[in-house]
Amino acid sequence: MLHAQRPRGPTRQLRRPAAKGPLVVSFYRGVWCPYCNMELQALEAAKPEFEKLGATLVAISPQTAPNSGKSMRQNSLTFPILSDAKGAVGAAFGLRFQLPGYLVELYKGLKNDLPVFSDDPSWTLPMPARYVIAQDATILYAEVNPDYTRRPDPEDMLPALRQASASRAA
């Protein structure tokens, strides 16, 4: 069973998708990542279309719950960012990776102290990823890119969401 914490509130079980429709899940690196913040804003803009198709949108980050709350405020988000303590959910999806030494030194030089942001000394991150998960836990869409500067357009998920919506209506 997988768990993640809301910015304000209890830990949430990620055992099954949302009861009312498909779940759109975005894994992102943290409040300190400008590419991640642009992606969150693009997802927020697409959220009304997702909701028309019955989907629920959540983001998951290894950062602490207070930093997830900060991300939500700074990006004016109306969907939750769940905190993935110690990267367990990202690891379960096969997304968690260890930063090489040269990147650890670069991040330190940029004052991106990941152990502080995530309360985890491991210097690990998830690869940016998006999934559309049907109510029966089938993954209808998956996009994972180790290049954190490349993110798919939120509209790329719409065919999978339409498929899920049509399946529910049938």
Side-chain angles (χ1 to χ4, degrees), residues 47-63:
K47 185 177 172 240
E49 188 65 28
F50 297 165
E51 289 174 339
K52 283 181 194 172
L53 295 168
T56 300
L57 171 62
V58 299
I60 300 176
S61 173
Q63 67 189 356

Side-chain angles (χ1 to χ4, degrees), residues 154-170:
E155 290 183 4
D156 292 352
M157 292 182 286
L158 291 178
L161 289 171
R162 288 186 187 107
Q163 175 190 349
S165 182
S167 295
R168 281 190 8 254

Side-chain angles (χ1 to χ4, degrees), residues 66-144:
N67 282 320
S68 290
K70 183 178 179 180
S71 290
M72 291 175 65
R73 288 187 305 277
Q74 286 181 346
N75 292 293
S76 302
L77 303 180
T78 60
F79 62 90
I81 297 174
L82 305 177
S83 294
D84 178 17
K86 310 294 187 235
V89 178
F93 276 80
L95 302 173
R96 188 175 183 207
F97 70 97
Q98 181 77 42
L99 270 70
Y102 76 93
L103 278 181
V104 170
E105 293 309 314
L106 176 67
Y107 278 42
K108 286 178 179 178
L110 295 171
K111 306 289 188 234
N112 286 343
D113 192 351
L114 298 187
V116 171
F117 282 111
S118 62
D119 192 28
D120 179 3
S122 69
W123 285 93
T124 59
L125 287 172
M127 286 183 280
R130 287 199 199 144
Y131 297 93
V132 173
I133 305 172
Q135 286 179 274
D136 66 359
T138 302
I139 295 177
L140 303 174
Y141 173 93
E143 169 71 30
V144 180

Side-chain angles (χ1 to χ4, degrees), residues 1-4 12-17 23 58 60 82 89:
M1 186 175 329
L2 304 174
H3 294 85
R12 179 177 179 175
Q13 291 184 7
L14 299 177
R15 180 171 45 173
R16 60 183 88 127
L23 186 64
V58 299
I60 300 176
L82 305 177
V89 178

